[in-house]
Amino acid sequence: MAQGPQTFFDALAVRTWCGLALETLGRAREEIDAINVYPVADGDTGTNLYLTVESAVAAVEAVFAGHAAGSEIAGGPGAAGSGATGSGATGSGGPTLADAARAMAHGALIGARGNSGTILAQLLRGMAQVLADGDIDHADGRDLRLALRRAADSARQAVAHPVEGTVLTVASAAADAVDGAEGDCGTVARAAYDGACTALAETPGRLPVLERAGVVDAGGRGLVAVLGALVETLTGEKARSPRRDSPARVDPVQGPAPGDGVPGECTDAAAVPGEEGPAFEVIYLLEAGDTAVERLRGRLDALGDSLVVVGGDGLWNVHVHVDDAGAAVEAGIEAGRPHRIRITHFGAGDVHTTGAERPPRERAERAVVAVVPGEGLAGLYTEAGATTVLARPGEPPASGELVQAVRRAHAREVVLLPNDADLRHTAAAAAEQVRAEGIRVALIPTRSAVQGIAALAVHEPDRRFDEDVVAMTSAAGATRYAEVTVAERQSWTMAGICQAGDVLGLIDGDVAVIGSDVAVTAETVLDRMLSAGGEMVTLVLGDDVPDTVAAHLESRVREGYLAVDTVLYRGGRQGALLLIGVE
């Protein structure tokens, strides 16, 4: 993906940089995971950084795709010369630098994973604040210097208790190194990279836990990789380390030498290492105002450590390590509207010990990993023993997120339930990746969460893997699925033309009913499904559906289909108003 040298930074450069950073982190992910010793040794810093950048890439690509589609609608690719685009556009109908930079920052914010990923998201946000300031089509060397300084300062401000010898130190060194740099963007990027490499090599001397383990900081190592991609973007040349004599036995660019056997780190720039740490990592997106977030910082700081709150303009990403995960979530509810909540239990005697002190966690024999569309269903699946990946409306999980979930399940055999027809290829890619790591994976092509519920109901981990997969596949396939939702725009469907705001009933993925009332449309869908027979109806209600609708449907089944049972669940913010399964 390398491009030729250029003297400025525009929307296309943002796109190229994000893509190269993802490639670089993909190659370095395992190496970065392997040097993860401070302060929580859960070996996922490289993976978290990769997933964060993957989300940024998806957001930037979506902006470019949107502008391309807009150009076609306006009259085809050659019709953009009419002056309909802004002065900051890149090429005919392309996004502006501000568009691309904001998309990069937003994508990283909503997809940030772990402490290191959250800090990287704030670094990108800080850069975007400078690059998107004003109506310019490209940034020069001076603009890039300012962006790197804003990035380092804003990331440090986002961390409750900054610690030196971490990614914050490396970011500050990169910004310091360009203060006196004169020249184009390529010159500035190379100076930032050189300063970051030097600071990374010195991190063991600034943080004793790194020195004892004989490693450099994992988060800082990841930032060096991202800055190396920036150098390649702006010069057309791959970055080379200016130092090959790291005192930590780890080359700043190449990672740990083969056979070093260094332990792993969750690089956390916000907590001081100690004998023990909190039991849970809590992460969520939060919609809240600035004043409420300031109060939230104080509450969470008193609850635990590793507190990082990044974002702004009403949307924040909150990360903290606590013993009381419920209290951390409740604090978010009081501050605003938290969503995409992730709670990870570190495990006693596992991630808070390092090296030879940490006993290897024994793998489970079998696990189920499932994608679910709402918090309510996530709780249901978790109670049934599954490892869940939450999919928000319009935010499907990437393959890397599914890979991480399979690793988190820590089992020799895994059954993967995508629960969405559109996720089959994503799930297949994830399955192939973890098979290469020696994990036996079976992908059951569930198209809806209700099919996943049916599969989980017959799951028996004690029987042979193949037999279990066949039983789960059969149960899912025997479950017809439907959903009731609201049309967002006028469209042609199998049932005719729908208008924005119409209530749609989809059966097996196709629109079968167009109506105006949720209860009436749902009843029509249910009757059509039960006309072919059935013994069990599963109803999953979204947050926006009143209990009266559920009572109406239960009454309809009870009075009209005497031999059919009904089970009801609350799915939370699941996108669809109602999910229906008939077995």
Side-chain angles (χ1 to χ4, degrees), residues 365-446:
E365 187 60 33
R366 189 174 307 159
V368 176
V369 173
V371 180
V372 291
E375 292 89 348
L377 279 177
L380 173 66
Y381 272 74
T382 300
E383 288 177 7
T387 297
T388 61
V389 178
L390 190 61
R392 301 300 309 162
E395 300 174 3
S399 61
E401 193 168 353
L402 299 186
V403 169
Q404 188 183 43
V406 172
R407 293 183 181 132
R408 192 168 69 246
H410 202 62
R412 296 181 180 88
E413 300 169 341
V414 173
V415 179
L416 184 56
L417 306 175
N419 290 339
D420 186 335
D422 292 335
L423 287 179
R424 281 197 64 183
H425 295 300
T426 300
E432 283 301 313
Q433 182 172 340
V434 294
R435 284 181 187 128
E437 299 174 8
I439 302 172
R440 189 180 185 187
V441 181
L443 171 60
I444 297 179
T446 48

Side-chain angles (χ1 to χ4, degrees), residues 496-562:
I497 300 176
C498 71
Q499 305 295 329
D502 283 348
V503 180
L504 306 180
L506 290 79
I507 299 177
D508 294 334
D510 293 322
V511 176
V513 181
I514 300 175
S516 58
D517 181 82
V518 174
V520 174
T521 302
E523 181 180 338
T524 303
V525 169
L526 194 54
D527 284 340
R528 290 195 185 183
M529 296 179 75
L530 287 172
S531 66
E535 299 176 355
M536 171 74 74
V537 171
T538 301
L539 302 174
V540 184
L541 274 69
D543 274 351
D544 297 328
V545 179
D547 292 334
T548 54
V549 172
H552 176 77
L553 295 177
E554 287 181 305
S555 175
R556 173 61 182 161
V557 173
R558 186 170 54 252
E559 296 172 3
Y561 306 92
L562 300 180

Side-chain angles (χ1 to χ4, degrees), residues 256-304:
D260 273 354
V262 292
E265 174 202 353
C266 165
T267 298
D268 187 330
V272 178
E275 292 297 321
E276 296 182 359
F280 297 96
E281 177 185 58
V282 178
I283 306 174
Y284 48 80
L285 291 179
L286 179 69
E287 296 176 15
D290 292 358
T291 302
V293 169
E294 281 305 309
R295 289 196 298 267
L296 176 66
R297 289 180 196 268
R299 280 201 61 183
L300 294 180
D301 194 25
L303 285 175

Side-chain angles (χ1 to χ4, degrees), residues 91-134:
S92 297
T96 65
L97 171 60
D99 292 335
R102 290 193 188 106
M104 171 186 71
H106 180 74
L109 176 68
I110 65 173
R113 300 292 189 275
N115 196 20
S116 54
T118 306
I119 292 173
L120 177 61
Q122 188 68 4
L123 288 167
L124 296 180
R125 177 179 171 82
M127 291 190 69
Q129 287 175 331
V130 174
L131 298 176
D133 184 20

Side-chain angles (χ1 to χ4, degrees), residues 28 36 46 78 143 148 209 254 268 330 339 425 448 518 542:
N36 201 146
D143 297 321
L148 290 166
V209 66
Q254 299 302 323
D268 187 330
E330 288 172 5
H339 53 102
H425 295 300
S448 170
V518 174

